[in-house]
Amino acid sequence: MFNLTDNGLFLGSLAQRKQPPANLSIVPVTDTVYHAFLARCATSEITPDIILFGLEEAQKENACLRAHFPEVADIYWMAGRSGQGDEWFISPTTGTVLFYDHDTGEYTSEGFTDLAVSFDSFLLLAQVLCQLEQFLDAAEPDLNALKTAFTKELDTIRSGLAGDYPYNYFD
């Protein structure tokens, strides 16, 4: 049901930068796929739940984070946001993507959920979500079959990912 492409091709479908960045060394995340995203892509809304910052916006958001919440900026890099005000982070130490639920208030450890996936796997998740939106927009989709396929697809990216993903599309 879901048809994922190579992440390099997927990056090509996102908003592209006008010119390559001069220097990515200021980014504390060393993930090569994340660097490829920053080198090629501008800020991109993949789905309403995943808006990834291009390099300049990431720098601006992380400078603001450092000014107001240095203890968070010391351990996480803000990579994006959702349309609902939640945020996506990458741990420079582990390379995993984390979700921050803004409903928990100012940054607390309880608000962070480590999805335990690399940025590469996060892009696969984003592809699944793009396709899910298309299926949900179809006339009268079979929600039970779609939920089963969605759960199975996320759990092929990482076992248990469907249960850890913070947004619920079916209830």
Side-chain angles (χ1 to χ4, degrees):
M1 175 176 270
F2 291 94
N3 184 19
L4 305 183
T5 64
D6 172 82
N7 275 334
L9 293 173
F10 182 63
L11 289 179
S13 72
L14 302 178
Q16 299 293 293
R17 294 179 56 84
K18 291 183 180 23
Q19 53 187 312
N23 186 0
L24 290 174
S25 67
I26 59 144
V27 178
V29 176
T30 59
D31 183 287
T32 57
V33 178
Y34 183 61
H35 276 235
F37 168 80
L38 292 175
R40 290 179 65 180
C41 301
T43 295
S44 298
E45 181 176 324
I46 298 173
T47 71
D49 294 333
I50 300 176
I51 302 164
L52 293 176
F53 300 143
L55 178 60
E56 291 76 15
E57 192 163 352
Q59 288 175 306
K60 181 183 82 164
E61 293 292 336
N62 281 283
C64 184
L65 184 68
R66 177 153 303 287
H68 299 286
F69 302 97
E71 66 284 355
V72 175
D74 285 345
I75 56 175
Y76 299 127
W77 175 261
M78 188 185 300
R81 169 173 293 122
S82 77
Q84 300 164 1
D86 300 316
E87 295 163 329
W88 297 103
F89 289 85
I90 301 174
S91 167
T93 306
T94 65
T96 59
V97 174
L98 298 97
F99 171 81
Y100 190 79
D101 182 351
H102 78 284
D103 287 334
T104 60
E106 289 188 357
Y107 298 106
T108 64
S109 59
E110 297 82 32
F112 285 96
T113 301
D114 189 343
L115 295 184
V117 296
S118 66
F119 188 75
D120 191 43
S121 294
F122 186 70
L123 290 178
L124 293 174
L125 166 67
Q127 288 186 56
V128 172
L129 294 173
C130 285
Q131 292 176 32
L132 175 65
E133 283 188 350
Q134 293 169 356
F135 293 138
L136 288 172
D137 288 343
E140 300 182 40
D142 179 346
L143 291 180
N144 288 330
L146 189 53
K147 181 178 182 178
T148 299
F150 174 74
T151 300
K152 181 180 176 189
E153 193 67 39
L154 289 192
D155 286 348
T156 62
I157 296 170
R158 181 189 54 81
S159 179
L161 181 57
D164 292 340
Y165 187 71
Y167 298 112
N168 186 345
Y169 300 99
F170 298 100
D171 293 328

